[in-house]
Amino acid sequence: MDKTRTVLVEIGVEELPHEIIPDTISQFARAYSDNLSECYISFESMESFSTPRRLGLLVKGVCEVQNVFVEEKRGPGIEKAYTSEGKPTKALIGFLRANEADEKDVIIKEINGKKYVFIEKKRGGEKTINLLPVILKRSLERIIFPKTMKWEKSGLLFSRPIRWVIYMFGYEVVPFDLAGVKSSNFTFGHRIYFDKPERIKEPNLYKRELLSLKVIVDRDERKSRIQDELNRICEKNNFEVPGSASILLDYNTDLTEYPNLVLCRFEEEFLELPEEVLISEMVHHQYYFPLVEKSSGKLSNNFVVVSNIEDNRETSGGYERVLRARLNDGKFFFEEDKKRHFSTYREILKKVTFHEKLGSMDEKVNRIEKISEILCSHLGLDDKEREYSLTAASLCKNDLVTQMVGEFPELQGIMGYYYAKASGYPDEVAVGIKEHYLPRFAGDDIPKSISGMIVGIADKLDNILGIFSIGIRPRGSKDPFALRRSVFGIIRIIIDKRLTLSLRKLIDDVLPLYKQSTGMIDDIREFITTRIRSIFEEFGFKYDEIDATQMKVLDDVYESYRKLVALHSMRDNPEFNDLLIAFKRMANIIEKLEVYKVDEDLFTEKEEIALYRYFKDKKDEIERHIGSGNYEEVFKILSTFKPYVDSFFDNVLVMEEDEKLRNNRLSMLKEIIDVFSDVIDFSKIVPSSTTC
């Protein structure tokens, strides 16, 4: 049995940005594992560790000697390798010399009917410790960071400066030099409590040794420690953490090496501020956990901080002073902003640029108002709904120039709600201002109010048409103006609100607001149609289902979606899938067919008579369900055709030599296909085994 050892790698760095740590250590572990395999070095298991100051790997059961493997190399074809007398040519001699081989090493193999010269050589068997330096070097080079920096003469690019490197193979230190830092078996403990290097006696003691140095290197253990302590504090004090703060668990896990939770509080007077202001400050700026009272559901003036040091008398006071200063600023901004009537902020928007080629934010709001008015007409809103929507549209960006949103950009829309309410606007207007940014991401809420829905669609459509009108298109993964997200938001609203709305007509009516460029309308339609397809794929629908039901998606997104849902729900039935393939066969047969009137007197086979009679019996019912949008029933009726269709194709020759019989049968198939044409394009269906 091969002897094995444990490899320990620790890359000590200046504090890494918390948001990149999980991906960085994942890349590092994957790259190191791949490099071991590429060097034919066997190992049993790998653990990865990460903190803000270190990236670590513990690889157990690493063989001391590289595996022996056979390396095969192909040379020239046999006709070029040997003369007609069977002697080696210059081509073969050169090939053998380059690979340090002799003619006795030659093997002849055939590939695609042609014979080639090959040589096989045993490789490997080298000591693992000699290969480990290059494995680590290659692994670190494979890590991709969002941003990198240089800090020393070698010019190594890394996210943060490297300060120490542990590289051990069992008890032995692996010689390695990275950015002027030589490998050793010394690490550094918690920055506050330990300022001298500490020796790691052997790799398998790594976690225990670091814990004694006040460092929990296992990310999952740190995360569990934070979660358990947070639960304990909440249960003891009858609190709970609001859902908006759930991101903080991961944030704080990657911000600390030895997390300890501290219960703090701020003055009750700050509870007079909007809850969103308080939560935003704690969650997005300080990474503090806000707490809600279980009994009332109201925000408490208590909060929890994840500290990187053990609690002491000074800890909570320091965190409270930091938050108090920020909340005082928020209170000042809130009171100052309310001194002006909310409508007066519109004038300031004239000085704020939306895009140099599209004008100011005030000009953008002008377009949003006009689009909102067109949209109200398309949806047939009543006078009151129209009034609320257009008022919300005129005010929707005013809060961008308030002091509060200047300090807390994530509160745009939310502060508009509070300032509109303070200025006496109806709830319907204020809510529309708040909701028009929704949905901001997948899984986010959509506007509940009509005004939020109208202004939200108008704002997003202006983003798309405006950016297209100045000749900018999303390319590949690059979408600097988040136009794909704008399409996603519009589609989510249409589907969730069940809107009967023609995007094609809406776009046509809105386009005159922009300076159009040649081909703009076609580009926009293609972009939106392609994005809708991607959205439906993200929803979990199969590509052929989408192709088969989205013929007129821009004319009515919601109806197209309903057709897709109905088809998808039937695809679990294998017999229905078989029927779809049979109808696809029909569609292919009748493609480009000249239409003839079906003559029942020309039917000669009982199977064609049965199929056509069954179709005629069901035709009115099918058309009635299509007219009422009851697509589930349409597909249920379609499924009942299976025995008639199967019997027809099993017993009737469609492409009959007699032209009249052939045309009559083809015309029957076309008539059957055509009645379903507004619901499904059978030609787009593929066998279920090939769909994804």
Side-chain angles (χ1 to χ4, degrees):
M1 185 175 179
D2 293 335
K3 292 183 178 180
T4 64
R5 302 188 206 174
T6 298
V7 168
L8 172 63
V9 183
E10 184 186 68
I11 308 298
V13 293
E14 293 293 338
E15 271 79 358
L16 290 165
H18 69 86
E19 63 271 17
I20 74 166
I21 292 176
D23 181 59
T24 300
I25 189 59
S26 176
Q27 288 188 65
F28 185 26
R30 185 167 57 250
Y32 198 88
S33 173
D34 290 347
N35 276 298
L36 284 174
S37 298
E38 288 166 13
C39 288
Y40 296 92
I41 297 174
S42 301
F43 65 95
E44 294 174 3
S45 64
M46 178 183 291
E47 290 181 83
S48 61
F49 307 103
S50 62
T51 78
R53 297 183 68 208
R54 66 199 79 225
L55 302 170
L57 300 175
L58 192 68
V59 191
K60 295 184 177 180
V62 180
C63 287
E64 290 188 351
V65 178
Q66 177 191 33
N67 296 335
V68 175
F69 59 96
V70 175
E71 185 178 66
E72 182 181 80
K73 289 195 175 183
R74 188 173 79 177
I78 194 167
E79 71 281 357
K80 293 183 179 180
Y82 293 97
T83 65
S84 56
E85 292 82 19
K87 295 183 179 180
T89 64
K90 289 183 179 180
L92 176 58
I93 294 170
F95 171 68
L96 294 174
R97 185 184 300 118
N99 290 281
E100 300 178 348
D102 299 318
E103 191 177 349
K104 60 182 175 58
D105 298 320
V106 168
I107 299 171
I108 307 299
K109 290 187 178 182
E110 186 174 308
I111 298 178
N112 297 327
K114 186 175 180 180
K115 293 182 178 180
Y116 292 89
V117 167
F118 282 83
I119 59 169
E120 292 180 348
K121 282 206 163 187
K122 287 187 177 181
R123 303 286 190 190
E126 188 173 347
K127 290 184 177 180
T128 295
I129 195 168
N130 296 334
L131 299 172
L132 289 179
V134 71
I135 288 172
L136 180 54
K137 181 177 182 294
R138 289 175 181 172
S139 301
L140 292 170
E141 288 173 347
R142 288 187 185 181
I143 300 175
I144 300 173
F145 297 101
K147 292 182 180 180
T148 56
M149 60 183 296
K150 298 178 184 178
W151 68 96
E152 47 74 55
K153 294 180 181 179
S154 75
L156 176 74
L157 293 174
F158 212 73
S159 180
R160 289 293 185 271
I162 294 172
R163 297 307 186 204
W164 74 88
V165 175
I166 291 181
Y167 205 9
M168 299 176 67
F169 189 38
Y171 291 95
E172 195 171 354
V173 173
V174 179
F176 186 73
D177 191 325
L178 180 66
V181 178
K182 295 186 182 301
S183 59
S184 70
N185 57 355
F186 283 89
T187 187
F188 285 83
H190 193 291
R191 188 188 294 277
I192 301 298
Y193 303 111
F194 299 91
D195 58 357
K196 296 179 181 179
E198 300 286 341
R199 186 190 301 273
I200 299 296
K201 299 180 179 64
E202 66 107 347
N204 289 314
L205 297 177
Y206 175 66
K207 284 178 63 176
R208 188 193 308 173
E209 295 281 358
L210 265 293
L211 184 59
S212 70
L213 300 174
K214 300 286 188 185
V215 176
I216 302 173
V217 291
D218 189 305
R219 185 180 187 275
D220 290 338
E221 288 182 15
R222 289 200 311 281
K223 188 172 182 177
S224 295
R225 178 184 172 100
I226 294 171
Q227 184 67 75
D228 293 346
E229 183 62 13
L230 186 61
N231 291 342
R232 187 191 66 77
I233 291 173
C234 287
E235 289 173 9
K236 181 179 179 181
N237 297 280
N238 201 33
F239 292 139
E240 59 185 4
V241 177
S244 57
S246 60
I247 57 174
L248 295 182
L249 184 58
D250 282 315
Y251 284 8
N252 282 290
T253 298
D254 294 313
L255 282 167
T256 57
E257 290 198 313
Y258 195 66
N260 292 279
L261 275 61
V262 185
L263 181 62
C264 308
R265 65 171 54 202
F266 57 84
E267 288 75 8
E268 289 189 4
E269 65 184 78
F270 290 120
L271 291 174
E272 297 174 6
L273 286 169
E275 280 193 4
E276 292 92 342
V277 174
L278 300 172
I279 291 175
S280 177
E281 176 55 45
M282 287 186 274
V283 173
H284 298 290
H285 294 266
Q286 304 301 329
Y287 301 151
Y288 299 166
F289 284 97
L291 298 173
V292 172
E293 296 174 353
K294 278 186 179 179
S295 55
S296 65
K298 294 182 179 179
L299 185 68
S300 166
N301 65 321
N302 292 273
F303 61 97
V304 171
V305 178
V306 180
S307 174
N308 197 37
I309 60 174
E310 293 180 298
D311 193 11
N312 58 54
R313 293 181 180 179
E314 301 297 323
T315 307
S316 60
Y319 296 128
E320 290 168 354
R321 282 193 297 274
V322 170
L323 185 60
R324 184 183 302 118
R326 294 284 296 177
L327 295 184
N328 270 320
D329 289 344
K331 184 177 181 182
F332 172 78
F333 296 146
F334 188 55
E335 296 301 328
E336 287 296 305
D337 288 340
K338 288 194 299 180
K339 288 179 180 179
R340 298 182 58 162
H341 193 276
F342 190 48
S343 62
T344 64
Y345 286 100
R346 175 71 179 270
E347 187 68 22
I348 308 176
L349 291 179
K350 295 178 180 179
K351 302 176 183 178
V352 179
T353 301
F354 170 58
H355 189 283
E356 60 182 3
K357 294 183 180 180
L358 292 169
S360 67
M361 285 300 303
D362 178 64
E363 290 175 272
K364 176 178 173 61
V365 174
N366 280 329
R367 294 192 298 271
I368 292 174
E369 289 181 271
K370 292 172 182 176
I371 297 172
S372 296
E373 189 167 8
I374 294 169
L375 190 53
C376 287
S377 297
H378 279 235
L379 294 174
L381 300 189
D382 62 35
D383 291 344
K384 209 65 181 174
E385 292 168 335
R386 180 188 297 262
E387 178 187 345
Y388 290 145
S389 296
L390 296 184
T391 304
S394 71
L395 300 168
C396 67
K397 302 299 181 183
N398 283 17
D399 64 349
L400 295 180
V401 290
T402 61
Q403 294 185 72
M404 182 69 86
V405 174
E407 184 69 19
F408 302 95
E410 66 276 6
L411 294 179
Q412 56 187 321
I414 294 171
M415 296 316 302
Y417 165 82
Y418 285 105
Y419 294 149
K421 290 276 289 179
S423 292
Y425 288 100
D427 281 352
E428 292 84 352
V429 171
V431 172
I433 295 169
K434 178 170 66 174
E435 292 185 337
H436 87 278
Y437 287 103
L438 303 178
R440 294 156 296 188
F441 50 83
D444 195 14
D445 294 332
I446 65 160
K448 293 182 173 61
S449 66
I450 291 175
S451 55
M453 171 188 77
I454 294 294
V455 182
I457 293 176
D459 183 23
K460 294 169 180 61
L461 189 58
D462 177 68
N463 291 338
I464 299 166
L465 301 189
I467 297 302
F468 266 79
S469 73
I470 58 176
I472 299 176
R473 311 286 189 271
R475 304 293 184 192
S477 62
K478 295 181 179 179
D479 187 11
F481 297 97
L483 300 189
R484 293 187 182 96
R485 189 170 65 196
S486 290
V487 177
F488 173 82
I490 292 171
I491 301 308
R492 272 284 315 277
I493 292 171
I494 290 174
I495 290 174
D496 287 21
K497 304 297 277 189
R498 303 179 181 181
L499 301 180
T500 300
L501 177 66
S502 170
L503 279 181
R504 186 186 305 277
K505 189 173 187 311
L506 178 62
I507 292 168
D508 289 345
D509 290 348
V510 169
L511 271 178
L513 299 176
Y514 306 88
K515 295 178 181 178
Q516 299 181 39
S517 57
T518 305
M520 175 182 167
I521 183 65
D522 292 333
D523 287 351
I524 290 170
R525 286 173 179 168
E526 181 184 1
F527 171 70
I528 294 177
T529 302
T530 302
R531 182 64 186 121
I532 291 173
R533 177 191 176 87
S534 298
I535 291 168
F536 286 163
E537 287 179 348
E538 291 164 11
F539 286 175
F541 297 111
K542 297 177 181 178
Y543 72 87
D544 68 324
E545 296 169 349
I546 298 169
D547 289 342
T549 56
Q550 304 305 296
M551 301 82 71
K552 299 179 180 179
V553 66
L554 288 183
D555 294 315
D556 197 329
V557 173
Y558 181 57
E559 283 303 294
S560 295
Y561 172 76
R562 292 185 62 239
K563 295 171 188 176
L564 179 57
V565 171
L567 175 60
H568 181 74
S569 66
M570 295 290 291
R571 291 299 290 278
D572 289 337
N573 183 336
E575 289 193 353
F576 183 73
N577 268 313
D578 293 342
L579 180 65
L580 290 180
I581 301 307
F583 270 80
K584 175 185 174 71
R585 180 182 173 189
M586 284 189 200
N588 291 338
I589 291 173
I590 64 170
E591 189 177 10
K592 299 179 182 179
L593 172 72
E594 185 178 350
V595 179
Y596 298 91
K597 183 175 175 58
V598 177
D599 185 350
E600 294 185 61
D601 292 338
L602 292 176
F603 289 147
T604 60
E605 306 294 340
K606 62 181 180 180
E607 291 82 9
E608 62 184 331
I609 295 171
L611 173 59
Y612 193 62
R613 285 181 178 174
Y614 187 75
F615 164 68
K616 288 179 66 178
D617 287 342
K618 294 296 181 181
K619 183 178 179 181
D620 288 345
E621 188 179 356
I622 293 167
E623 291 177 339
R624 187 173 67 253
H625 285 309
I626 292 175
S628 62
N630 194 350
Y631 305 117
E632 291 83 359
E633 287 301 319
V634 174
F635 286 124
K636 285 179 182 177
I637 295 172
L638 176 63
S639 67
T640 65
F641 276 73
K642 189 174 191 306
Y644 300 95
V645 171
D646 288 348
S647 181
F648 174 80
F649 279 115
D650 287 344
N651 298 286
V652 178
L653 178 62
V654 177
M655 305 308 288
E656 172 68 55
E657 287 186 12
D658 186 308
E659 185 178 358
K660 286 186 177 180
L661 293 180
R662 180 174 70 248
N663 288 339
N664 197 56
R665 286 168 183 169
L666 291 172
S667 296
M668 177 189 69
L669 296 182
K670 182 168 177 55
E671 188 176 341
I672 295 172
I673 288 291
D674 284 351
V675 80
F676 294 101
S677 61
D678 283 340
V679 181
I680 182 171
D681 181 349
F682 292 105
S683 68
K684 303 296 185 182
I685 294 296
V686 298
S688 58
S689 61
T690 63
T691 58
C692 62

